[in-house]
């Protein structure tokens, strides 16, 4: 090929390259402008749609309300925390309704409690008296039924913690141990003396408490905060001040453990009336037809250790002669003080006995009638 032919080919290639370059120089700004226009149109559409949907179309009640279970029955309590959006959404309520309709915690299922897993009783079994059922069911979240309803003469009662994950005896809940660190009388000197080691222990306890409670987000975040701040800083000292109140919100239903009577022969928790399997099966086979004395005998066979009457509040919540040895079970002093305060528990027993609940005179009006007395129409 001659040099002239090569030059012609080169000129043609160069012309194509120049044409492509000219096209790109003109096309890039156009493509950029088109993309900007598309973004503006899309954002405008989103903004207008948001205004229309938020102002002109009713959005309905927030999930903190509609996602709550309507009944706390056995099926509901078997669900995990993540099954109900209201539990996590209630951590930071944004609307007024969500603020007042809050369910800040959940009741962990106890799959080792023979009283409930047999199908005889609900996990929250106290429902007869609306005046006191909330207080009684609150105990069912951290105490096995047998503590109050099974016979026993020892004072204090032989009790043991058992984990809800395996039903085996264990140490006091990590939540209580963390609360003990934050409320100990010598807490200030401990933080000065141990510093980083105490911080690591507290963070470990809080992470364990979050895991034992069913991965409660608030406990996990509390652990993250205590780990993030430097011991001795103002932020850390503020966490030490606010921590006890934050932990106290999780005492009901989020221990990951319960107290039960201890079988003194084996040391294991007594989670049901012993050797009653055949009696339970017979009860279910005949409960629809048995009446009167026959039904009574069947129930007595199912509950051979049942007390004639359950323990009362002040049998345990008292300063002297309590049936529960709170210090031995790992309760810190600050928690014990709130558990033996006689004012609240005496008031509950007062209401449970059907006596009038008198309002302060400054509020005016007559005393409220006993809860079992209905107002008759004139």
């Amino acid at each position: 090929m001659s040099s002239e032919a090569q030059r012609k080919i080169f000129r043609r290639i160069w012309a194509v390259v120049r044409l492509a370059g000219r096209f790109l120089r003109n096309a890039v700004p156009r493509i950029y402008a088109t993309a900007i226009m598309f973004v503006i149109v899309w954002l405008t559409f989103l903004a207008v749609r948001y205004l229309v949907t938020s102002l002109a179309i009713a959005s309905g009640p927030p999930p903190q309300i509609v996602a709550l279970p309507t009944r706390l029955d056995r099926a509901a309590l078997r669900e995990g925390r993540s099954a109900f959006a209201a539990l996590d959404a209630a951590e930071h309520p944004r609307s007024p309704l969500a603020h007042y309709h809050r369910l800040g915690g959940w009741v962990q299922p106890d799959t080792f409690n023979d009283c409930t897993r047999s199908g005889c009783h609900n996990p929250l079994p106290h429902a007869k008296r609306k005046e006191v059922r909330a207080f009684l069911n609150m105990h069912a979240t951290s105490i096995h039924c047998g503590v109050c309803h099974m016979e026993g003469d020892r004072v204090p009662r032989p009790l043991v913690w058992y984990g809800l994950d395996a039903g085996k005896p264990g140490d006091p809940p990590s939540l209580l141990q963390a609360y003990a660190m934050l409320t100990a009388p010598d807490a200030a000197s401990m933080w000065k003396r141990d510093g980083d080691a105490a911080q690591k222990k507290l963070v470990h306890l809080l992470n364990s408490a979050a895991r034992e409670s069913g991965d409660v987000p608030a406990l996990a975040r509390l652990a993250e905060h205590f780990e993030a701040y430097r011991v001795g800083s103002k932020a850390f000292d503020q966490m030490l001040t606010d921590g006890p109140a934050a932990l106290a919100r999780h005492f009901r239903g989020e221990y990951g453990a319960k107290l039960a009577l201890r079988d003194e022969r084996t040391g294991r928790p007594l989670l049901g009336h012993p050797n009653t399997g055949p009696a339970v099966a017979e009860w279910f086979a005949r409960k629809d037809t048995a009446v009167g004395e026959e039904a009574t005998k069947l129930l007595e066979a199912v509950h051979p250790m049942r007390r004639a009457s359950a323990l009362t509040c002040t049998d345990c919540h008292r300063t002297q002669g309590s049936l529960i040895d709170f210090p031995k079970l790992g309760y810190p002093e600050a928690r014990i003080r709130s558990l033996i305060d006689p004012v609240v528990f005496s008031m509950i027993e007062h209401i449970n006995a059907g006596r009038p609940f008198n309002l302060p005179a400054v509020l005016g009006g007559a005393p409220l009638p006993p809860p079992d007395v209905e107002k008759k129409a004139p």
Side-chain angles (χ1 to χ4, degrees):
M1 181 182 294
S2 65
S3 59
E4 183 64 25
Q6 292 178 353
R7 284 195 293 270
K8 287 182 179 180
I9 294 174
F10 176 77
R11 283 195 295 268
R12 289 175 181 174
I13 294 175
W14 178 246
V16 172
V17 171
R18 291 180 61 189
L19 182 62
R22 190 180 303 114
F23 173 79
L24 290 176
R25 283 197 303 271
N26 295 330
V28 169
R30 290 186 175 90
I31 294 173
Y32 176 76
T34 302
I36 291 295
M37 290 177 60
F38 176 79
V39 171
I40 293 174
V41 170
W42 177 247
L43 292 178
T44 303
F45 167 75
L46 293 179
V48 172
R49 188 182 67 171
Y50 173 77
L51 289 174
V52 171
T53 56
S54 61
L55 299 178
I57 301 176
S59 59
Q64 290 93 330
I65 298 174
V66 297
L68 287 175
T70 56
R71 289 182 59 83
L72 294 181
D73 54 14
R74 189 178 298 107
L77 293 179
R78 283 176 178 168
E79 296 287 348
R81 178 187 176 94
S82 60
F84 303 106
L87 292 173
D88 294 332
E91 295 292 337
H92 299 288
R94 300 299 297 273
S95 66
L97 286 177
H99 175 78
Y100 291 105
H101 294 75
R102 299 184 67 181
L103 184 60
W106 193 236
V107 180
Q108 293 176 271
D110 183 358
T111 57
F112 298 94
N113 184 347
D114 287 344
C115 301
T116 58
R117 69 175 182 173
S118 64
C120 295
H121 303 281
N122 282 322
L124 300 178
H126 308 95
K128 292 183 179 179
R129 296 284 305 281
K130 65 180 180 180
E131 295 81 12
V132 294
R133 63 190 179 193
F135 293 100
L136 299 177
N137 284 327
M138 180 176 63
H139 288 72
T141 66
S142 57
I143 296 178
H144 184 270
C145 310
V147 175
C148 297
H149 292 278
M150 287 185 179
E151 294 178 343
D153 298 327
R154 283 191 53 184
V155 178
R157 308 212 78 184
L159 302 178
V160 63
W161 288 102
Y162 71 95
L164 299 183
D165 56 343
K168 297 179 180 179
D171 296 328
S174 299
L175 188 62
L176 277 182
Q177 296 184 50
Y179 189 74
M181 284 191 66
L182 294 176
T183 59
D186 61 342
S189 60
M190 177 193 68
W191 288 109
K192 290 182 180 179
R193 182 182 65 251
D194 299 332
D196 294 341
Q199 181 186 29
K200 290 180 180 179
K201 180 180 179 181
L202 178 61
V203 170
H204 172 73
L205 288 173
L206 290 174
N207 282 322
S208 298
R211 184 173 59 255
E212 293 166 3
S213 65
D215 298 319
V216 173
L219 290 174
R221 283 199 299 271
L222 195 62
E224 293 172 359
H225 283 298
F226 271 109
E227 187 175 21
Y229 298 134
R230 178 176 55 82
V231 177
S233 65
K234 290 184 178 180
F236 191 85
D237 291 342
Q238 187 62 44
M239 289 293 298
L240 293 178
T241 302
D242 299 337
L247 288 182
R249 289 195 289 268
H250 302 277
F251 283 160
R252 299 173 183 88
E254 295 178 358
Y255 278 147
K258 283 186 178 182
L259 283 174
L261 289 174
R262 185 182 72 251
D263 188 329
E264 300 193 58
R265 295 174 302 172
T266 64
R268 297 182 60 82
L270 191 61
L271 302 180
H273 294 273
N275 305 318
T276 55
V280 172
E282 185 177 4
W283 163 253
F284 277 110
R286 300 171 55 188
K287 66 183 180 68
D288 295 330
T289 58
V291 294
E293 185 177 351
E294 181 184 7
T296 301
K297 289 183 178 179
L298 288 174
L299 288 174
E300 288 177 350
V302 172
H303 306 94
M305 296 179 61
R306 184 174 60 181
R307 297 174 59 92
S309 58
L311 299 179
T312 62
C313 300
T314 51
D315 286 331
C316 302
H317 298 281
R318 57 196 303 175
T319 56
Q320 300 292 332
S322 171
L323 293 181
I324 296 180
D325 189 344
F326 291 110
K328 185 177 180 180
L329 293 169
Y331 283 89
E333 292 183 18
R335 181 61 177 154
I336 294 174
R337 285 195 297 270
S338 64
L339 289 174
I340 63 176
D341 184 355
V343 176
V344 175
F345 308 105
S346 298
M347 178 193 68
I348 296 171
E349 286 193 346
H350 184 93
I351 297 173
N352 191 42
R355 294 192 290 270
F357 182 67
N358 298 312
L359 294 174
V362 69
L363 298 179
L368 294 177
D372 54 347
V373 176
E374 296 183 359
K375 185 177 180 180
K376 296 182 180 180

